[in-house]
Amino acid sequence: MVDAAPDTGPVDAGRWRALRGAAADLLLGSVCPGCREPGWGLCPRCRSALHGHRPALASTGTGPVTLACCPYDPLLSHLVTAHKDHGALGLAPELAGRLAVAVRALLRGSGWTGPVVLVPVPSAAAAVRRRGYDATATLARLAARRLRPVHTVTVRRLLVQRLGVRDQAGLGAAARSANLAGALRARRGPQRALPEGAVVVLVDDVVTTGSTLAEAARAVEAAGAVLLGAATVAAAADPRTARPARSGRRSSQAPAADLGGA
Ligand SMILES: [Zn+2]
C-alpha cells in the first residue's frame, strides 16, 4: 500500500487522492470496518481503541515466546477478517503498525539489538490465490518498514506449507494435530539465505492456540536459523492470563491447531 500521495504536484496529487479514495471506497464500503458506522475508513473511535492496547505475552501454552499487541476482541476480529478475507487493503498499514509495536516489544524484552529477519507464517497457496493477496507477508513488509529507522530488519518468506495439508476447519483435535505435524518447511533458494548473525522473529496476524507458531518454530530451527520468538497483531487468548513460555519450547502434542485461520 502507498501511505502518502507521491510528490507529483498538487493537481496530480489531488487526482491520486481521489483515485485512492474511490478504490478504497470500493474495497471497504462506506462504513467503518471496525464498527460498521457510516463513514470512510477506520473511524476515530475504532482507531483510538486499536491504538489503546499495549503488547502482552500471548497465552499460547505452547510454541515460542509470543508478544501480541492487542486482544482478539470484536474490533480486531472485524479488522483482521476485513483485511484478510474481504480485500480491505487500506487496513494493512494500521495492522502492520500494531504488528511493529509487538515486534519492538519482543526485541526490547529480549535485549536483542542485532539484525532481525521477520518470517511471516505462510498461508496455504490456495488461500493466497483465492484472496489474490498474501495478507501476512504484506503486514510483515510494512512492519519492517516501520522498524527500520531503529532496527536492522529484513523480511524473508522462508516458510511454505507442504502439499497435502488439509484445511483445519471441521477436523477434530487429534486430526488437527496429525494434519499440522510437519506442515511447514523452509523454502530452498535465496529466501533461505538469512543475513549473517540475524535472528528470526515469526510474525502472524492472530495467534490462537499457538500450535501454528510452534510448527513454524520447528521448521525455522530445522532450517538452521536462530529463533528469537514470535509477534502478532492480536492474541485470541486473554493476555492477562498469559503463562510464561521459553524461547523455542514446544509441546510435542499440539492442541487444536489454528493453521491458516484467525
Ligand atoms: Zn469504527
Side-chain angles (χ1 to χ4, degrees):
M1 290 299 292
V2 178
D3 294 331
D7 186 15
T8 53
V11 176
D12 283 354
R15 277 194 197 137
W16 171 259
R17 273 193 294 274
L19 275 172
R20 180 170 174 254
D25 221 24
L26 281 172
L27 292 167
L28 294 171
S30 56
V31 296
C32 167
C35 65
R36 310 289 198 267
E37 288 290 318
W40 182 85
L42 201 58
C43 75
R45 194 177 53 186
C46 287
R47 191 182 304 274
S48 171
L50 184 64
H51 286 246
H53 297 296
R54 293 291 169 265
L57 194 62
S59 176
T60 62
T62 181
V65 169
T66 302
L67 267 289
C69 185
C70 310
Y72 194 54
D73 58 13
L75 169 62
L76 266 296
S77 172
H78 289 152
L79 299 184
V80 168
T81 303
H83 173 248
K84 196 174 195 173
D85 294 324
H86 302 302
L89 311 188
L91 291 173
E94 285 287 354
L95 295 175
R98 298 299 90 198
L99 180 60
V101 167
V103 173
R104 200 176 292 126
L106 180 73
L107 297 178
R108 191 179 300 128
S110 68
W112 180 258
T113 56
V116 176
V117 178
L118 302 186
V119 173
V121 171
S123 300
V128 173
R129 279 197 300 275
R130 188 178 68 244
R131 295 168 183 147
Y133 181 59
D134 191 333
T136 311
T138 300
L139 294 185
R141 280 194 296 273
L142 293 175
R145 203 179 292 171
R146 300 229 178 180
L147 292 161
R148 272 190 202 117
V150 175
H151 301 281
T152 304
V153 184
T154 52
V155 177
R156 289 281 195 285
R157 294 172 64 191
L158 175 66
L159 300 178
V160 64
Q161 281 194 16
R162 290 183 193 275
L163 293 175
V165 179
R166 297 167 58 194
D167 191 329
Q168 299 284 78
L171 297 182
R176 283 176 175 231
S177 292
N179 188 42
L180 196 60
L184 302 177
R185 66 168 177 81
R187 293 177 195 267
R188 297 173 186 88
Q191 291 288 330
R192 188 154 180 162
L194 304 185
E196 184 78 23
V199 297
V200 165
V201 173
L202 293 163
V203 293
D204 207 350
D205 49 10
V206 179
V207 56
T208 52
T209 65
S211 52
T212 299
L213 285 172
E215 168 60 14
R218 182 205 61 75
V220 161
E221 290 177 338
V226 178
L227 180 70
L228 186 70
T232 65
V233 176
D238 185 344
R240 286 171 298 188
T241 62
R243 291 187 302 236
R246 284 181 283 129
S247 181
R249 181 179 179 272
R250 297 179 299 283
S251 166
S252 59
Q253 293 185 317
D258 54 358
L259 185 69

